[in-house]
Amino acid sequence: TISSLSVDPQVHLQIAKGVQELHNHRITHRDLKPENILLTKKYKKGAPIPDLKVADFGLSTKNIIMETVAGTKEYIALASKVHTYTNSVDVWSIGIIFDELLHGDPYYTGENNKEVFNKILKEEYKVRDEKISEPIKALLVSVLKKKAYERPIIGVLKSRIE
């Protein structure tokens, strides 16, 4: 999985490009998490980053507006829990994945779904490590906004990474 990769802008860019391709085809994945981002070949530390592929489309949809709660609790966007939502839930999940790549564990954790959802509802995202560069901090804060309309669309996110 991508959890074995070092923090590299190419990893972030490949994930954003993959999700942008889905959104260009009006597909919302709804279950983005490290386990659903696959390496095309075995990775050895220090070697070039292999191509990444988005996988597991079991919860994906072509609906523009969605209502059904879907996804893995640590990566699910607030909006999908409380009202209708759009493909911005994928942008949220990307932010959680990026944060996890930086720190080694998901930002929102808990013993059960209810505990995790309560944290997502009540806790604002805060960058965990002040040593992270300002552009990365700004990127994380922008994609992990509670209000979906405040998050960048995937194309804007991708351009910020490039």
Side-chain angles (χ1 to χ4, degrees):
T1 69
I2 62 167
S3 299
S4 65
L5 298 176
S6 60
V7 178
D8 184 303
Q10 280 303 313
V11 173
H12 298 155
L13 184 58
Q14 283 194 53
I15 293 169
K17 282 181 174 179
V19 174
Q20 183 180 34
E21 187 66 21
L22 294 176
H23 289 190
N24 287 347
H25 289 90
R26 296 190 173 162
I27 297 169
T28 303
H29 191 282
R30 300 197 308 170
D31 196 23
L32 290 170
K33 56 187 173 183
E35 295 81 4
N36 289 342
I37 312 285
L38 306 178
L39 307 172
T40 57
K41 61 183 179 183
K42 194 166 180 101
Y43 173 69
K44 293 182 182 172
K45 198 165 188 122
I49 302 295
D51 288 339
L52 305 177
K53 301 289 181 186
V54 177
D56 189 354
F57 294 88
L59 296 176
S60 67
T61 183
K62 288 191 115 183
N63 294 339
I64 295 170
I65 304 292
M66 292 150 272
E67 296 176 358
T68 307
V69 176
T72 302
K73 66 181 187 292
E74 291 86 0
Y75 306 91
I76 198 167
L78 171 73
S80 62
K81 182 74 175 135
V82 294
H83 51 71
T84 59
Y85 58 97
T86 67
N87 63 12
S88 70
V89 297
D90 286 347
V91 173
W92 170 276
S93 298
I94 288 172
I96 295 293
I97 291 168
F98 288 0
D99 179 88
E100 183 172 339
L101 287 172
L102 288 167
H103 300 100
D105 58 337
Y107 187 82
Y108 296 103
T109 60
E111 295 297 316
N112 54 49
N113 287 354
K114 184 177 181 179
E115 191 175 314
V116 173
F117 289 142
N118 281 335
K119 286 182 180 181
I120 293 169
L121 285 167
K122 294 176 182 169
E123 294 178 17
E124 288 295 323
Y125 174 80
K126 292 184 181 127
V127 177
R128 296 193 256 178
D129 183 353
E130 291 304 314
K131 296 176 188 167
I132 295 171
S133 71
E134 290 304 318
I136 297 295
K137 284 181 192 176
L139 179 83
L140 287 169
V141 168
S142 73
V143 298
L144 293 171
K145 297 276 188 192
K146 298 280 187 193
K147 296 176 181 164
Y149 64 84
E150 293 179 348
R151 287 181 222 135
I153 61 172
I154 191 65
V156 171
L157 171 60
K158 186 182 87 102
S159 70
R160 287 183 187 170
I161 297 168
E162 293 175 315

